[in-house]
Amino acid sequence: MLDIEDLHVEVEGKEILRGINLYIEKGKIYAIMGPNGTGKSTLAYTIAGHHRYKVNKGRILFKGKDITNLSPTERARLGIFLAFQYPIEIPGVTVASFLRTILNIKENISLVKFNKLLKEKMSLLEIEEGFAKRYLNDGFSGGEKKKCEILQMALIEPEVVILDEIDSGLDVDALKVVSNGIKRVFNSNMSIIIITHYSRILNYIEPDFVYVMMNGKFVASGKKDLVNAIEERGYEWLEEVNSNV
Ligand SMILES: Nc1ncnc2c1ncn2[C@@H]1O[C@H](COP(=O)(O)OP(=O)(O)O)[C@@H](O)[C@H]1O
Ligand SMILES: [Mg+2]
């Protein structure tokens, strides 16, 4: 599905990603973990095609096609979706109209069809009807912002979903709601990349593969065991293990 080869990325003159290799298969869930400031969000934005992130070396293939130089809109059309860590507030724009605009990037859909689809997805995620009529992110709690992201994901049904710290700032109850929502939307045609600093979301959504990033490189990969090891021992030992190799 998505193939990242030896990716080197620079942000404002500084090299942040220093040779990332990642192969994303269809129908699988990936976790990318790592301490703050190691380049996890940089990787997410680079996959989404944000202009600030400059690829110096390497490439990104989506279903065999080189997308390294495509615009964010073109990538979104292909089916790559990035949920933002800090979603914007747009007073005066309702959740429903925002979602319709987003969906229109991918396909043109009539208002009647859209409303039907929105209703269906909101009931799937057990979101109360009034939510769509509220102004986007205006006075939303952390949990409501994330709910909105999951609803976007449910409507668009992207093939590659990148969730950047979707667990940040959520209490346990909100985390459960968000995790359940993700699980309901996930299907065998989708791949999900969960980027997180903490292991707790991975207790609700079990990843198929886990990667640990430190200083712009992956220093370890594994399965759920690796998450447990990080929970017990933190990150630093991984860097030592890696520098001895
Ligand atoms: N837009 C930006 N402008 C300047 N520096 C940035 C920008 N984005 C990221 N960086 C720098 O890149 C490094 C990695 O950041 P980031 O990818 O956000 O890490 P993480 O998501 O793992 O916490 C940090 O040192 C950060 O200061
Ligand atoms: Mg980040």
Side-chain angles (χ1 to χ4, degrees):
M1 187 90 103
L2 193 68
D3 193 3
I4 297 174
E5 297 175 351
D6 193 29
L7 197 65
H8 291 248
V9 174
E10 172 188 312
V11 186
E12 286 167 16
K14 195 173 139 203
E15 188 172 64
I16 306 294
L17 298 184
R18 304 182 299 134
I20 292 286
N21 290 288
L22 183 63
Y23 186 72
I24 301 291
E25 278 176 69
K26 196 167 158 169
K28 301 279 186 217
I29 298 179
Y30 296 76
I32 297 180
M33 303 186 70
N36 282 327
T38 52
K40 303 184 300 298
S41 295
T42 301
L43 178 61
Y45 283 116
T46 305
I47 296 171
H50 195 293
H51 64 87
R52 204 186 277 142
Y53 300 84
K54 189 166 162 259
V55 176
N56 284 337
K57 197 177 164 208
R59 55 182 194 161
I60 305 171
L61 303 176
F62 181 64
K63 295 182 184 167
K65 179 181 152 106
D66 191 337
I67 61 159
T68 320
N69 297 312
L70 293 190
S71 73
T73 310
E74 287 168 316
R75 295 181 204 209
R77 260 188 212 126
L78 287 175
I80 298 172
F81 175 81
L82 171 65
F84 293 100
Q85 193 174 347
Y86 303 108
I88 39 166
E89 285 188 15
I90 314 181
V93 174
T94 63
V95 169
S97 69
F98 170 73
L99 290 172
R100 186 155 180 243
T101 308
I102 295 280
L103 192 59
N104 268 325
I105 295 176
K106 198 179 141 207
E107 61 188 272
N108 275 311
I109 180 168
S110 73
L111 187 58
V112 176
K113 267 195 178 163
F114 172 77
N115 285 335
K116 190 166 163 265
L117 188 66
L118 181 61
K119 209 169 170 185
E120 184 190 311
K121 298 300 182 186
M122 285 177 70
S123 95
L124 170 77
L125 296 171
E126 293 173 26
I127 297 174
E128 63 291 352
E129 255 177 62
F131 186 73
K133 297 192 183 91
R134 290 178 59 186
Y135 292 122
L136 187 66
N137 289 334
D138 187 13
F140 278 19
S141 67
E144 284 169 337
K145 287 184 185 176
K146 310 295 164 151
K147 223 193 283 186
C148 191
E149 290 176 46
I150 307 297
L151 186 54
Q152 279 178 55
M153 179 178 148
L155 280 166
I156 300 171
E157 295 198 309
E159 291 181 64
V160 176
V161 178
I162 308 165
L163 302 169
D164 191 4
E165 306 228 357
I166 193 141
D167 49 346
S168 72
L170 297 184
D171 61 28
V172 180
D173 292 328
L175 184 63
K176 272 189 203 162
V177 171
V178 165
S179 303
N180 283 332
I182 295 169
K183 283 197 268 195
R184 278 182 202 179
V185 177
F186 178 63
N187 64 56
S188 58
N189 288 318
M190 195 183 267
S191 326
I192 301 186
I193 303 172
I194 298 174
I195 295 180
T196 181
H197 179 88
Y198 298 106
S199 51
R200 51 179 205 156
I201 191 173
L202 305 174
N203 295 327
Y204 299 101
I205 305 174
E206 182 152 344
D208 296 294
F209 302 99
V210 180
Y211 289 82
V212 180
M213 190 190 285
M214 291 184 80
N215 293 319
K217 280 185 175 177
F218 288 135
V219 296
S221 65
K223 304 236 163 180
K224 187 75 205 302
D225 299 355
L226 184 56
V227 179
N228 300 336
I230 289 165
E231 187 149 26
E232 274 175 33
R233 301 176 65 187
Y235 286 112
E236 268 170 29
W237 63 282
L238 283 168
E239 198 163 41
E240 280 160 32
V241 169
N242 199 57
S243 63
N244 292 334
V245 174

